[in-house]
Structures are given as structure tokens and as C-alpha cells.
Amino acid sequence: MRPDGSVSPRVRAALMAARAAGLAVVLATARPVRVVRALAADLGLGGHAICLGGAQRFDLDGGRLVGEDRLDHATATAVLGALRAAHPDVLVVAEVGLDIHVEHGFALGDWGFRDLPAHTVRGSLAELDPGVTALLAGHAHVPLDELELVAGAAAGGRAAITRSGGPHIEVFAPGVSKGAGLAALCADLGIPAADVVAVGDHRNDVEMLRWAGRGVAVANAVPELLAVADGVVPANADDGVAVLLEELLASG
């Protein structure tokens, strides 16, 4: 996506050309299924998607989850309690399956929501059981580094904690990453890592680029990703994904 959240005509055309050539195009994102389904429909993509940073694998054509990893209730509760103890007004949202759980004081504008989706449950996050797919925690005045330290100490190695560029940290079940999610999906589809080309821009893409046969970063990627990439294409704003797909299609 470009900085304004749109997808350029060139990228759209390249995605359609890749699909027409028989390539499996997989959207791998920190976004939840409800957002990814809308994006895929807008782009005319089917197949599969990796959602919530690798915690979910979704069949876009069948409209169903084909895999999910959940953070256990005890760890989620410990992380939530530690965050609240350290910063009582921390804002926390929980993704549970295809639902989003928010507490009664949650304001639409806090994280840029125009509206809450249909699958919204309001209530105490402390009551969630048997666990959550993802906990998202942010604070208007506390750095994300601090929130990550608090969550990490509370989890004690029983959770994966990362960021994807939003105003929050993301807490998942241990081992969850885009790389692990893509590896699991490709195993189901019979696609070896050597045949996979992955492209990303943020810290939560590191494991995915390491796993793929060829890992590519866009020029505006964070330093951690540029350090592990096999190659670099132009920035998001300059149609880097289209450049990569056009190169792949031209090379046969």
C-alpha cells in the first residue's frame, strides 16, 4: 500500500497479472480477517491470506479460517494485568477468532477507527476465555518500547510480542509470526520455501523474509528488515511490489 493506504493502478495490474500467470499470491499482514477480506475483494484476489501477524490463516474463497494460534488465557490475563498495573489508562483491544473485543470505554477515534465492525463485543477483557488470538496495547503518552518491556516481563517467554507500524504492540501465542504462518500455509499447499518470494517493510516481516527462498524489502523498510533482506525494491510509494512482480513475470 502507498502511504495514504491506497493501492496504485500499477500494483493492481501486477497482482492480476501474477494471478493470471498461475502464481499463488498470498496477502500476509497484521490486519484482521475482516479488513483483509475487504482488501482482497477490492483487489480481486482469492486464495489464502495470513492475518493478524501470522496468528490466522484464512481461505478467502471458502470464507473460513484454516488455521489459528491462540494465546492462552493465563498468559493473556497476566500481560493485561501487568500493563494495567504499570499504566492504568493503557488502551487494549483483543482479537478473538473473527471478533474484536473492546471495553466499554473504548472510543472510536483512539486508533483511527471510523466505525466498529459488526463482529464487536463490548465487555471486560479479563473475562476472555479460553484465550485470545491477539492482544493489542497502546498508550497516548507511553512509548511502545516501555509497553513491550512490561508485556514481555509478564509473559515470561510464553508469548510473541512485535509491532507492525501501528500505535500499539501486538501480543500473540509463542512462535506466532508471519514467517511461521506462511510456512504452515505453504506446507498445507505443498509449496517449498525455495519457491517462495516474500516482500515486506516492517519488523514483523523479519521471520517471513528469513524463511522464504527469496526475501525482499521495500526501500522504505525498517533497518531490521533491510538487514536480513536478499534484495531491495523501490519504496511502497514508488510501486516496489509491482516492480518485483513484473520482474518475476518477465523472468518466467
Side-chain angles (χ1 to χ4, degrees):
M1 288 185 173
R2 293 182 288 196
D4 64 0
S6 65
V7 179
S8 75
R10 184 179 178 185
V11 170
R12 288 174 181 271
L15 288 169
M16 289 300 96
R19 287 272 289 176
L23 298 181
V25 178
V26 176
L27 297 175
T29 175
R31 296 172 177 83
V33 166
R34 60 185 173 274
V35 176
V36 177
R37 291 185 80 176
L39 175 61
D42 178 58
L43 295 174
L45 293 177
H48 295 83
I50 305 298
C51 305
L52 288 177
Q56 293 180 331
R57 298 171 294 285
F58 192 77
D59 177 355
L60 292 165
D61 298 318
R64 64 188 182 93
L65 284 172
V66 294
E68 181 180 41
D69 298 293
R70 289 199 180 189
L71 182 66
D72 69 88
H73 182 261
T75 303
T77 300
V79 170
L80 180 61
L83 287 168
R84 288 270 159 76
H87 306 288
D89 53 348
V90 66
L91 179 63
V92 182
V93 171
E95 296 281 354
V96 184
L98 299 181
D99 298 333
I100 178 173
H101 289 246
V102 302
E103 296 192 303
H104 292 291
F106 183 81
L108 288 179
D110 286 331
W111 283 349
F113 285 102
R114 293 187 183 89
D115 194 8
L116 286 174
H119 293 282
T120 299
V121 180
R122 287 189 179 272
S124 172
L125 299 185
E127 298 172 358
L128 291 177
D129 192 30
V132 302
T133 313
L135 276 179
L136 314 179
H139 195 289
H141 307 295
V142 178
L144 295 183
D145 285 344
E146 163 65 12
L147 296 182
E148 189 168 345
L149 285 172
V150 172
R158 302 186 306 275
I161 304 172
T162 190
R163 304 179 212 169
S164 59
H168 49 71
I169 63 169
E170 298 156 17
V171 185
F172 301 106
V176 165
S177 70
K178 286 186 186 179
L182 186 58
L185 177 63
C186 287
D188 290 342
L189 299 177
I191 301 173
D195 291 345
V196 176
V197 178
V199 59
D201 66 352
H202 216 276
R203 189 173 115 185
N204 64 337
D205 294 312
V206 168
E207 294 86 356
M208 182 173 69
L209 264 62
R210 282 178 171 159
W211 176 81
R214 180 182 174 194
V216 180
V218 289
N220 59 304
V222 297
E224 299 98 313
L225 195 66
L226 291 169
V228 303
D230 298 315
V232 178
V233 293
N236 292 351
D238 298 319
D239 293 333
V241 170
V243 171
L244 176 62
L245 289 173
E246 290 163 1
E247 173 207 317
L248 292 173
L249 292 170
S251 65

